[in-house]
């Protein structure tokens, strides 16, 4: 039970830390409008992962799967990652690369997509 609670807390904390950094940088947190990105955020939690919000949601799904006591529920985790990479993260990365150019490309080399 403690493992699930710790995972759930981490799953909530990561997106919250990401949101806080976006607020500090005065830029949008809404992935549906990447053209409103005014600043490339690379500090705080973004020093360790480029996608703390999506990673947090993945951890929440993992904790939920453990809570169900059904290992089959965990099979959705790779599907979530595949879907997010293909339909959310890659389009966002293309947009960020077009806005921030070499700065974003250098950031991608230093920091992993998920961790």
């Amino acid at each position: 039970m403690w493992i699930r609670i710790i995972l759930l807390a981490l799953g909530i904390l990561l997106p919250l830390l990401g949101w806080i950094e976006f607020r500090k940088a005065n830029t949008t947190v809404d992935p549906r409008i990447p053209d409103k990105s005014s600043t490339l955020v690379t500090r705080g939690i973004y020093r360790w992962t480029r996608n703390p919000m999506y990673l947090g949601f993945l951890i929440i799904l993992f904790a939920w799967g453990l809570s169900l006591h059904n290992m089959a529920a965990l099979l959705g985790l790779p599907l979530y990652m595949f879907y997010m990479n293909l339909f959310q993260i890659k389009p966002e990365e293309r947009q960020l690369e077009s806005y921030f150019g070499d700065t974003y490309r250098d950031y991608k080399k230093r920091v992993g997509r998920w961790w």
Side-chain angles (χ1 to χ4, degrees):
M1 180 173 120
W2 285 108
I3 291 172
R4 292 189 308 261
I5 291 171
I6 291 168
L7 287 171
L8 182 61
L10 182 61
I12 293 169
L13 181 63
L14 288 174
L16 180 61
L17 291 173
W19 181 83
I20 288 169
E21 290 303 327
F22 272 52
R23 288 290 119 212
K24 285 181 187 176
N26 199 29
T27 191
T28 183
V29 295
D30 191 341
R32 297 170 298 160
I33 50 172
D35 56 327
K36 300 261 185 196
S37 296
S38 59
T39 305
L40 179 61
V41 180
T42 60
R43 63 179 185 240
I45 191 66
Y46 290 94
R47 289 180 291 181
W48 296 286
T49 174
R50 293 196 316 259
N51 295 289
M53 295 176 196
Y54 303 142
L55 178 58
F57 301 152
L58 176 69
I59 293 170
I60 289 170
L61 288 172
F62 181 62
W64 176 70
L66 291 177
S67 295
L68 293 177
H69 300 287
N70 182 342
M71 295 310 282
L74 299 178
L75 295 176
L77 298 177
L79 293 174
Y80 168 80
M81 291 179 74
F82 173 78
Y83 178 87
M84 293 305 291
N85 279 328
L86 188 62
F87 295 107
Q88 189 64 41
I89 295 172
K90 286 185 179 182
E92 284 178 13
E93 288 179 341
R94 282 192 297 272
Q95 190 78 30
L96 290 168
E97 207 165 300
S98 74
Y99 287 153
F100 300 110
D102 287 337
T103 303
Y104 184 70
R105 283 186 280 280
D106 292 341
Y107 173 63
K108 279 176 41 174
K109 290 177 188 172
R110 290 190 325 270
V111 178
R113 180 179 282 163
W114 289 92
W115 47 78

